[in-house]
Amino acid sequence: MPVKRMAVENDSSVTEFILMGLTDQPELQLPLFFLFLVNYVVTVVGNLSLINLICLNSHLHTPMYFFLFNLSLIDLCYSFVSTPKMLMSFISDKNIISLMGCMTQLFFFCFFVNSECYVLTAMAYDRYVAICKPLLYTITMSPQVCSLLMSGSYVMGFAGAMVHTGCMIRLIFCDSSAIDHYMCDIFPLLQLSCSSTYASELVISVIVGSVVIASSFIIFISYFLILFNILHISSAQGWPKAFSTCGSHIVTVGLFYGFGLLTHVKPSFSGSVSQGKFFSVFYTNVVPMLNPFIYSLRNKDIKLALKKTLKRITN
């Protein structure tokens, strides 16, 4: 047994990986490059614009837009983690990433995903307080509470990323260096390992399961109480106002958790890698692009802020 372990460690010479990309069909490389380049530009411009609007307009300095500011900031940073290497895979023969670079990409990927999960949970609680306890809203969602919620989101996101990355660093890679993905993700790395992945998979499953179950439970309870409160609203304007307040967040949560689960819940049938890559495109590229539009198109406050900002620029 010690001889076998020593042999495995001596064979562990992988210091860099090759990212295989989204597809190996040459005729699709250039069209996909321009498609995702446009997606990247729209994501960056959309989230930067929303961040600037919230910063420059005082009437948006409320808890709701404080959380939205952080959501856009996370989506902006999130797009920098995976998309540049993805674009390179379309135009280069070999998209190489070092072992340290791969672990760094994985860390920031997990950090921003976990943080966004907690931010969406905090936003659900904010909507619950706004609709169910409007008279206590300014006290309950004070600047101190909002800052504490956001600090907690980033700290827990950091802790989760450290655990995930630590589980990957302890693995030994000694066979293939080709990652069948456009980024360093957990399951493709587990498939490359020639050492036992049982402990890593167990820890990752526990952490991911705990985060998803806890955040989903809080979001579900928040909206259950919101719905219960709405059913007792006698005002004709109460229903539309409540749904307009929560509609954008419900859509964002549905997209984030829906594609996230489809990407990271490991299916048991063949073709799971290709399916995981397909769903991860929506998870890593489409959702961060859509969020600014989801929160802006039917939002009167954002439209007003945009008009004021454009008026300042033109004058």
Side-chain angles (χ1 to χ4, degrees):
M1 194 71 169
V3 176
K4 184 178 179 181
R5 183 178 300 171
M6 185 177 295
V8 170
E9 290 178 355
N10 289 336
D11 288 338
S12 179
S13 56
V14 175
T15 58
E16 60 184 24
F17 296 102
I18 300 172
L19 297 172
M20 301 302 291
L22 188 61
T23 179
D24 56 358
Q25 300 182 33
E27 67 275 10
L28 294 178
Q29 300 290 346
L30 201 57
L32 286 175
F33 171 78
F34 286 109
L35 177 64
F36 285 105
L37 180 61
V38 172
N39 169 270
Y40 186 49
V41 172
V42 173
T43 300
V44 172
V45 172
N47 284 289
L48 269 178
S49 299
L50 195 54
I51 288 170
N52 286 326
L53 284 176
I54 294 172
C55 288
L56 296 174
N57 293 272
S58 58
H59 73 278
L60 297 181
H61 294 175
T62 63
M64 173 182 169
Y65 293 103
F66 172 72
F67 293 128
L68 183 55
F69 170 89
N70 283 275
L71 181 66
S72 292
L73 182 63
I74 289 171
D75 283 337
L76 178 65
C77 297
Y78 186 33
S79 65
F80 294 146
V81 173
S82 60
T83 309
K85 291 298 290 182
M86 181 185 190
L87 291 173
M88 286 182 62
S89 67
F90 293 126
I91 57 176
S92 59
D93 294 331
K94 279 189 177 182
N95 189 11
I96 297 174
I97 185 170
S98 65
L99 177 62
M100 184 59 66
C102 185
M103 293 300 120
T104 302
Q105 186 186 56
L106 177 66
F107 171 81
F108 283 106
F109 170 74
C110 294
F111 171 66
F112 291 123
V113 169
N114 286 339
S115 298
E116 182 158 341
C117 182
Y118 295 123
V119 171
L120 290 173
T121 306
M123 292 176 77
Y125 176 70
D126 172 69
R127 294 301 84 205
Y128 155 72
V129 177
I131 294 174
C132 298
K133 299 182 179 180
L135 298 178
L136 299 175
Y137 182 72
T138 53
I139 299 174
T140 306
M141 301 304 296
S142 64
Q144 293 78 11
V145 172
C146 293
S147 298
L148 185 62
L149 287 173
M150 282 313 312
S151 300
S153 298
Y154 288 123
V155 168
M156 294 180 71
F158 178 83
M162 287 293 290
V163 173
H164 290 311
T165 309
C167 288
M168 294 298 105
I169 289 176
R170 65 178 295 275
L171 298 179
I172 299 173
F173 303 98
C174 56
D175 292 333
S176 174
S177 61
I179 300 177
D180 189 13
H181 212 286
Y182 56 83
M183 63 176 290
C184 292
D185 203 355
I186 292 173
F187 287 133
L189 286 172
L190 288 173
Q191 292 176 342
L192 287 184
S193 175
C194 55
S195 58
S196 174
T197 61
Y198 175 78
S200 296
E201 289 189 54
L202 181 62
V203 172
I204 290 168
S205 298
V206 170
I207 296 295
V208 172
S210 300
V211 171
V212 171
I213 291 173
S215 58
S216 300
F217 178 75
I218 294 172
I219 292 172
F220 175 79
I221 292 297
S222 297
Y223 278 107
F224 174 80
L225 294 173
I226 288 171
L227 181 61
F228 181 80
N229 185 268
I230 290 174
L231 292 175
H232 291 79
I233 294 177
S234 57
S235 173
Q237 296 180 348
W239 280 70
K241 186 177 180 180
F243 282 116
S244 65
T245 303
C246 302
S248 298
H249 183 257
I250 292 173
V251 173
T252 302
V253 169
L255 290 172
F256 180 81
Y257 280 92
F259 287 118
L261 289 174
L262 289 172
T263 302
H264 292 103
V265 173
K266 191 175 180 181
S268 59
F269 49 84
S270 60
S272 59
V273 175
S274 298
Q275 182 185 352
K277 284 197 294 184
F278 173 76
F279 286 122
S280 66
V281 168
F282 293 91
Y283 188 60
T284 59
N285 295 84
V286 178
V287 173
M289 180 190 70
L290 290 178
N291 281 345
F293 297 100
I294 292 172
Y295 280 96
S296 302
L297 291 178
R298 298 183 62 187
N299 191 310
K300 294 180 181 179
D301 293 332
I302 296 293
K303 290 180 180 179
L304 178 62
L306 181 59
K307 288 179 181 179
K308 287 184 176 179
T309 304
L310 291 175
K311 191 174 181 180
R312 289 177 199 163
I313 294 173
T314 54
N315 293 337

